[in-house]
Amino acid sequence: MNDRLLLARTIARVRHEGQRYGEFPYHVHLDDVERLTQSFGLNAMIVAQLHDILEDTTTSVDELLLDFGEVITLAVSYLTDPLGVDRATRKKQLHERFKQLDEHEDAARLALIVKACDRLANVKASRLFNPEKFKLYQSEHSAFRSAAYRRGLCEMIWWELDMMIEVGDKLGRK
């Protein structure tokens, strides 16, 4: 395993210590997202491990810069929810940020890939373990896709995500 990926995993596990992803330790979610990013390269896997660290822990941007450099840190920053009163407001602001990203820029491309993988991991888990959350993801999907999808960027992730959202109700998992 690459030293930078091992460092990202270690930092993520330490900083998310005690946090839960449903009934599982939080690192289960981070590992799921990392697995989905494997075909997109090492930097995507590192960002997958760190994608929630700025919003869910006391980790600072400066710490990430020191350990991982500008591209990784900027990608994680792009993925960090803005501060907001409620989920709808935060997601609307985040979607506006995603719409502005240029997928030809390294950090933006990484952020868009990891965000699609993150959403797919969340949809898969919620479909199995949290039907109410799955319905929420279904209701948000059109706006999310409009903001984060880029033609030719992680098409198979988007295909699987679209299919899971579309067929979720048809499989009796509402």
Side-chain angles (χ1 to χ4, degrees):
M1 175 182 307
N2 179 279
D3 289 345
R4 289 175 57 234
L5 179 57
L6 182 58
L7 179 62
R9 281 185 185 171
T10 302
I11 289 172
R13 277 169 178 67
V14 168
R15 298 296 170 94
H16 288 285
E17 180 73 32
Q19 294 178 5
R20 308 293 293 171
Y21 186 75
E23 61 189 64
F24 303 101
Y26 200 78
H27 73 83
V28 169
H29 169 64
L30 301 176
D31 293 346
D32 286 345
V33 178
E34 180 192 320
R35 271 189 292 282
L36 290 169
T37 64
Q38 283 178 343
S39 65
F40 302 101
L42 179 63
N43 281 347
M45 294 166 66
I46 291 168
V47 173
Q49 283 292 327
L50 301 172
H51 77 273
D52 284 331
I53 204 161
L54 293 176
E55 71 188 58
D56 292 345
T57 77
T58 59
T59 305
S60 71
V61 169
D62 289 338
E63 289 174 274
L64 289 183
L65 268 170
L66 184 63
D67 288 329
F68 299 101
E70 188 175 319
V71 171
I72 298 294
T73 302
L74 190 54
V76 173
S77 295
Y78 287 151
L79 293 168
T80 301
D81 273 1
L83 298 175
V85 180
D86 57 42
R87 180 182 174 91
T89 301
R90 289 190 317 269
K91 295 306 174 187
K92 183 177 180 181
Q93 291 172 347
L94 187 64
H95 292 169
E96 287 304 313
R97 182 187 307 151
F98 289 158
K99 287 177 185 178
Q100 302 302 316
L101 295 180
D102 177 359
E103 71 272 18
H104 297 100
E105 188 257 319
D106 289 343
R109 184 176 59 258
L110 285 169
L112 291 166
I113 289 167
V114 171
K115 188 59 190 178
C117 293
D118 175 43
R119 183 55 66 106
L120 179 56
N122 285 332
V123 166
K124 286 179 173 185
S126 67
R127 196 161 155 246
L128 291 173
F129 302 113
N130 190 339
E132 296 305 314
K133 190 78 161 218
F134 180 75
K135 283 183 180 181
L136 177 65
Y137 289 131
Q138 283 182 308
S139 72
E140 293 175 341
H141 186 66
S142 179
F144 172 71
R145 192 180 208 292
S146 176
Y149 173 78
R150 301 296 191 280
R151 184 182 175 106
L153 187 67
C154 63
E155 288 290 342
M156 289 307 295
I157 298 295
W158 279 103
W159 179 86
E160 186 174 358
L161 179 56
D162 290 342
M163 291 303 104
M164 291 200 76
I165 292 291
E166 182 180 321
V167 302
D169 290 337
K170 296 173 186 166
L171 294 177
R173 299 198 175 143
K174 298 182 179 182

